[in-house]
Amino acid sequence: MSPVRRGEKLPIFNRIGVLRAERKMSRAHLADLVGVNVQSVGALERGDNYPSLDLAFRICEVFDLPVEAVFSRQEFGAMSAELYRRAADDTQSDRGGS
């Protein structure tokens, strides 16, 4: 079997730092919960390293979120902008707006 050809490495963005801050969780506590060292959590947050699929799932379980809410190939916008846009869209829908 020949090796898999891999193209250019695509970035993986994440919201780990934001999610930790919302929950007042330290890097050490998250590291303990997912079974890695604290430096690994820091490297993930900075984008220096990318998680394995298994680690990504373990992180998502801690935050009780689907993988696409924590990790993305596209840079995340501000969560507040997403929430307010949804709230405005919902308000227009309720009023029968387009």
Side-chain angles (χ1 to χ4, degrees):
M1 179 183 263
S2 62
V4 176
R5 295 186 86 194
R6 296 179 192 245
E8 189 176 321
K9 193 172 190 180
L10 298 173
I12 298 174
F13 299 96
N14 71 73
R15 285 186 164 142
I16 297 170
V18 171
L19 295 167
R20 271 193 324 95
E22 285 179 349
R23 289 157 175 81
K24 297 178 175 53
M25 180 185 294
S26 69
R27 283 182 177 168
H29 187 215
L30 178 59
D32 186 49
L33 291 172
V34 298
V36 298
N37 63 46
V38 69
Q39 291 85 0
S40 294
V41 172
L44 289 171
E45 287 183 3
R46 290 188 304 274
D48 293 344
N49 289 334
Y50 299 148
S52 66
L53 185 56
D54 178 63
L55 179 55
F57 283 138
R58 285 185 278 152
I59 291 168
C60 291
E61 285 176 16
V62 167
F63 296 123
D64 193 28
L65 291 170
V67 107
E68 61 272 9
V70 182
F71 299 97
S72 177
R73 289 280 187 196
Q74 314 273 311
E75 195 162 3
F76 287 106
M79 290 180 91
S80 59
E82 289 180 28
L83 291 172
Y84 284 114
R85 184 174 41 249
R86 281 194 194 125
D89 291 346
D90 289 347
T91 301
Q92 279 190 340
S93 308
D94 292 343
R95 292 184 189 159
S98 51

